[in-house]
Amino acid sequence: MILAITPNPALDLGGVVDRLVPNEKSYVHDETRYPGGNAINAARIIQKFGQPVIASGFLGGSTGDEVEKLLKNEGVQCQFVRVQGNTRVSVTVSERKTHRQTRLSFRGPQIQPQETAILMSYVSKLQQPSLVLVGGSLPPGFSSHHLKTLIQTCGQRSIPTIVDVPGNILSELVSSKPFLIKPNLVEFQGLVGRRVSSVQSIVKEARGLLTNIPCICISSVKKGALFVTPQRVWYGEMPPMQVKSTVGAGDSMVGAISAQIWALMARLNSRGEIQDVLDQGGSLLRYGLAAAAATLVTTGIHLGELSEMNQFYPEIKISLIS
């Protein structure tokens, strides 16, 4: 299975206003409520691809109950650790004509040591073959040290981990040797300590990280993304489109890539399977960008549908970089 761990889930509230005016009341229309958080959104995309996925992390209070109910309504299995605090709420308000968005994200509940221990125990008992995806911010009480231990636990059991966390957390996790990381360009610049922007300079810096990480996917590079492995580098470019919302686009990319990695792993049974997965980097990148594009052209906080991803798939341009 794929285990998608979101340490700090959220109930995502969305809506539309005619115009946001400072110090004035704005009436919000077209209210939407979705389960939120990086790995949760990725799990929802994985579910659309029909791959086996379980959403995990910490949930608490009535807000947490609603998040779990919404996930189950979409067919996503859940195995969350119940916590004393209340799951946070995130708010995204879009202006009707411009599609400009205002996003408010709260901190999240305090996680107790015994609650962390339950999640760690659950991960340590995963059956193989499995794939673990970790995404999103960290709530108070759950630190990058805990996340590092979780990744190392998976590594000791030959379970690949995919990591999509904010840049300030990501830099502390590289030494734990995840299988794949997915920073955007700004996060990648923070990771390497340089403001690189050209494709060649980004690739050069990315290769310096490959001793610890077999593959790196860097989004928001010009009009697309890079997929870097020790043997090859692919650049994928999206077609022209009208972007209506950026919410969940990166998560959609991670979800699609995770679903395709799992599909490859499920078809392979030799010990050399990881190299076989890396050789398909161009295909993984194409799926990821198609999923991101499908979400980018969708209004509000909706994620793209599989039919839209399939429409974008042949339009993604993939180049092999020497």
Side-chain angles (χ1 to χ4, degrees), residues 58-71:
F58 303 108
L59 285 180
S62 59
T63 309
D65 293 339
E66 184 172 358
V67 168
E68 185 164 348
K69 180 180 178 181
L70 289 169
L71 277 170

Side-chain angles (χ1 to χ4, degrees), residues 170 174 181 183 188 191-192 203-216 218:
L170 186 60
V174 171
I181 61 173
F188 180 77
L191 185 62
V192 300
V203 170
K204 181 179 179 181
E205 294 295 334
R207 286 195 175 279
L209 299 173
L210 294 180
T211 54
N212 285 319
I213 307 166
C215 48
I216 303 171
I218 307 160

Side-chain angles (χ1 to χ4, degrees), residues 160-315:
T161 52
I162 296 174
V163 178
D164 179 23
V165 296
N168 61 322
I169 304 170
L170 186 60
S171 61
E172 301 182 43
L173 303 179
V174 171
S175 61
S176 60
K177 299 185 177 181
F179 174 68
L180 183 150
I181 61 173
K182 205 288 299 169
N184 60 33
L185 181 56
V186 174
E187 292 169 333
F188 180 77
Q189 291 172 339
L191 185 62
V192 300
R194 292 188 59 197
R195 284 186 58 83
V196 289
S197 57
S198 70
V199 169
Q200 294 296 339
S201 61
I202 295 169
V203 170
K204 181 179 179 181
E205 294 295 334
R207 286 195 175 279
L209 299 173
L210 294 180
T211 54
N212 285 319
I213 307 166
C215 48
I216 303 171
C217 182
I218 307 160
S219 62
S220 303
V221 177
K222 300 186 182 298
K223 297 179 180 180
L226 283 165
F227 198 94
V228 184
T229 73
Q231 289 76 29
R232 297 182 179 88
V233 179
W234 292 268
Y235 175 71
E237 184 176 341
M238 292 185 180
M241 68 185 75
Q242 181 185 3
V243 175
K244 296 181 180 178
S245 173
T246 60
V247 177
D251 306 339
S252 298
M253 185 177 191
V254 172
I257 290 174
S258 300
Q260 298 310 311
I261 288 176
W262 171 256
L264 287 169
M265 289 174 58
R267 292 200 298 266
L268 300 167
N269 53 22
S270 66
R271 293 186 61 84
E273 64 182 21
I274 294 301
Q275 183 56 54
D276 293 326
V277 170
L278 296 180
D279 289 342
Q280 299 300 315
S283 176
L284 298 175
L285 182 58
R286 186 188 296 274
Y287 272 109
L289 286 172
T295 295
L296 286 169
V297 299
T298 304
T299 59
I301 57 176
H302 301 273
L303 299 181
E305 296 298 332
L306 183 60
S307 58
E308 296 164 332
M309 300 176 207
N310 290 333
Q311 288 176 7
F312 274 111
Y313 182 83
E315 299 182 28

Side-chain angles (χ1 to χ4, degrees), residues 55-123:
S56 186
F58 303 108
L59 285 180
S62 59
T63 309
D65 293 339
E66 184 172 358
V67 168
E68 185 164 348
K69 180 180 178 181
L70 289 169
L71 277 170
K72 290 181 177 179
N73 287 345
E74 293 188 22
V76 178
Q77 297 183 62
C78 298
Q79 188 67 51
F80 286 96
V81 177
R82 303 302 300 192
V83 300
Q84 298 176 22
N86 289 310
T87 294
R88 66 193 177 118
V89 174
S90 292
V91 180
T92 300
V93 178
S94 306
E95 290 190 340
R96 192 177 300 279
K97 291 184 178 180
T98 66
H99 299 296
R100 290 183 301 188
Q101 293 179 317
T102 298
R103 302 171 66 179
L104 304 174
S105 183
F106 292 87
R107 191 179 182 197
Q110 179 75 33
I111 306 301
Q112 303 301 320
Q114 63 270 25
E115 296 162 349
T116 296
I118 295 172
L119 179 63
M120 294 297 189
S121 176
Y122 177 62
V123 172

Side-chain angles (χ1 to χ4, degrees), residues 1 3 5 56 116-127 130 132 134 149-155 157 159 161:
M1 64 175 177
L3 180 65
I5 300 175
S56 186
T116 296
I118 295 172
L119 179 63
M120 294 297 189
S121 176
Y122 177 62
V123 172
S124 69
K125 297 174 182 177
L126 285 178
Q127 300 296 311
S130 293
V132 172
V134 182
T149 301
L150 188 151
I151 295 169
Q152 290 171 336
T153 298
C154 292
R157 304 186 62 235
I159 296 175
T161 52

